Amino acid sequence: MRKILFLSAVVMTMLASCSKEDEEAVIGPDPNDKYESSITLTATDLDLPADKGGKAIIRLTVDHEWYLVSNDKEEQTWLEADLTHGVSTKNKRITFTALEEGLAETRTAKFKIVSGANSKKFTVTQGRKCLILTMDDVQDFDKYYKP
């Protein structure tokens, strides 16, 4: 009976020491990794259409484990990447998708691929939304336009 109580106490202690924080560890590059890695990107500037759902693709070749890291101070909620990390790969495709329509101005997100001690930077720019006027929109144009 003592053995059962002892084993129960041990199991309860082990379960209590597990926390949700342990389960949700953030995946990212280890700053202690100092190995040299070769990183090749197909572009340094990607252009994303202004429409919601617009896509831009970059291809990368890396000879070690790699991570996609944002260089921006603020989180970019208007943009999503389908891959954020991987292992040694050749010509791997990362697709960026616009989650929102473009604004009146262009917007840019800065990223880098990190592998060991090396990194390569690139940007993704979403073009501005064009304004399309109909005849109803410009019926009073002559009142305001003075050459």
Side-chain angles (χ1 to χ4, degrees):
M1 181 71 166
R2 284 187 188 176
K3 288 183 180 180
I4 293 174
L5 288 175
F6 177 74
L7 287 174
S8 296
V10 169
V11 169
M12 295 300 277
T13 303
M14 289 174 55
L15 289 175
S17 67
C18 292
S19 70
K20 195 161 187 106
E21 292 173 5
D22 294 339
E23 296 170 11
E24 297 177 2
V26 176
I27 296 175
D30 183 350
N32 297 320
D33 286 343
K34 301 298 181 197
Y35 57 84
E36 292 296 317
S37 180
S38 173
I39 305 169
T40 304
L41 301 175
T42 55
T44 55
D45 297 301
L46 297 176
D47 292 319
L48 194 63
D51 298 327
K52 180 178 180 180
K55 297 186 183 305
I57 296 170
I58 191 168
R59 293 187 178 272
L60 68 132
T61 300
V62 184
D63 60 358
H64 286 88
E65 185 173 29
W66 60 269
Y67 295 90
L68 174 67
V69 178
S70 174
N71 270 359
D72 294 320
K73 294 176 183 165
E74 296 178 14
E75 183 179 352
Q76 300 298 337
T77 58
W78 57 272
L79 181 65
E80 178 180 72
D82 65 343
L83 291 174
T84 57
H85 74 281
V87 293
S88 176
T89 187
K90 185 172 184 175
N91 209 25
K92 187 67 172 179
R93 184 172 118 170
I94 300 176
T95 302
F96 291 89
T97 304
L99 300 177
E100 301 172 8
E101 286 193 2
L103 304 173
E105 300 294 324
T106 59
R107 55 182 164 191
T108 302
K110 298 175 184 178
F111 293 96
K112 63 182 172 182
I113 298 293
V114 177
S115 181
N118 298 11
S119 66
K120 290 274 179 143
K121 296 178 181 180
F122 65 98
T123 60
V124 180
T125 303
Q126 184 180 34
R128 63 184 178 186
K129 190 72 174 174
C130 294
L131 178 63
I132 299 173
L133 299 174
T134 65
M135 287 304 292
D136 292 335
D137 296 326
V138 294
Q139 68 185 3
D140 294 327
F141 183 75
D142 292 337
K143 289 183 192 178
Y144 305 105
Y145 178 70
K146 305 281 185 200

